[in-house]
Amino acid sequence: MTLEIKGNWNKGFAYDYHITNSIFLGYDDNNHAMFDNSRSAMGELVYQLKYRNDTTKVSFITELLLNEYSGWESFDYIIPAPSSKQRVNQPVVLISQDLSNRINVPCLQALYKDYSCNNKLIKEMDNKGDKLALLRETIKLSNSNLILGKDILLIDDLFRSGATLEVSTEILLNNGARSVCVLAMTKTKRD
């Protein structure tokens, strides 16, 4: 399944929904909501990679992408979206690097978040305007000279509100990229 995602980028797609079905189970002893979630095949792979640190899932994710999409050679760089928090293994970087190795398009880690600017987690914020403002403060670009006139494929693991991809695209285009297309592994059904 391919889902079109709209934004300030040239084209955008998510491979599939993250969760296909969710049943509310009640609250645990700490008053946290509990759910029984069913994930898509890609959603389960992303979940295992991102939240269980199962790096063996990277090659399976890449295989799904290669079987679904073509036209990889039209990009000059694959750029992973900046991560929402610091992890030992960054899922988006691992996916971008594996994809890069398989399609022979360089992976450029040009975007990063300056965590010293603000410690607030974007996913905990409800208002998209607030998210965009915070991301504009924290997302930074290195190697801006490398993206001048280049066609970029911007990769992310999970598309929620699109705020991270929107600000990342804005930064890339404002610094001379010719075009930016985005590809997310999964998309939430809300937001």
Side-chain angles (χ1 to χ4, degrees):
M1 168 181 272
T2 292
L3 309 164
E4 185 175 6
I5 49 179
K6 303 242 184 231
N8 58 341
W9 41 82
N10 297 81
K11 288 182 184 178
F13 299 98
Y15 180 88
D16 203 351
Y17 286 110
H18 192 74
I19 293 176
T20 56
N21 191 36
S22 186
I23 299 169
F24 177 67
L25 299 175
Y27 294 94
D28 66 12
D29 294 338
N30 296 318
N31 206 31
H32 294 114
M34 298 183 307
F35 296 90
D36 179 15
N37 293 325
S38 299
R39 296 177 192 87
S40 66
M42 180 66 86
E44 186 61 32
L45 290 169
V46 168
Y47 176 83
Q48 293 297 323
L49 172 60
K50 188 170 186 168
Y51 300 108
R52 299 290 182 251
N53 197 31
D54 186 351
T55 58
T56 66
K57 302 305 184 204
V58 173
S59 62
F60 294 105
I61 291 170
T62 305
E63 277 301 315
L64 289 175
L65 296 176
L66 292 173
N67 289 331
E68 183 71 19
Y69 302 105
S70 61
W72 304 105
E73 68 283 350
S74 66
F75 297 105
D76 296 302
Y77 289 112
I78 295 172
I79 296 182
S83 60
S84 58
K85 66 187 228 181
Q86 295 171 317
R87 289 183 165 89
V88 172
N89 293 305
Q90 292 294 353
V92 178
V93 172
L94 294 175
I95 294 165
S96 298
Q97 289 172 337
D98 191 50
L99 184 60
S100 168
N101 290 336
R102 294 197 197 196
I103 62 171
N104 203 27
V105 172
C107 178
L108 180 65
Q109 293 183 54
L111 294 170
Y112 65 95
K113 282 189 182 169
D114 181 355
Y115 293 99
S116 67
C117 292
N118 198 317
N119 291 338
K120 240 182 181 180
L121 285 177
I122 298 298
K123 62 179 153 188
E124 294 174 3
M125 301 173 78
D126 292 326
N127 182 287
K128 186 174 178 182
D130 292 341
K131 288 181 184 183
L132 291 170
L134 179 60
L135 287 166
R136 285 185 180 111
E137 289 177 27
T138 59
I139 295 178
K140 308 293 181 193
L141 175 68
S142 61
N143 301 322
S144 61
N145 58 323
L146 293 177
I147 65 163
L148 288 172
K150 302 297 183 189
D151 297 309
I152 307 297
L153 176 60
L154 182 60
I155 300 275
D156 206 352
D157 54 0
L158 179 62
F159 181 93
R160 246 186 216 103
S161 68
T164 298
L165 290 173
E166 188 173 322
V167 171
S168 297
T169 297
E170 183 180 288
I171 290 169
L172 292 168
L173 291 173
N174 287 345
N175 283 277
R178 180 175 34 226
S179 69
V180 177
C181 293
V182 302
L183 177 60
M185 304 306 100
T186 60
K187 177 187 182 313
T188 61
K189 286 192 175 183
R190 61 180 185 85
D191 288 329

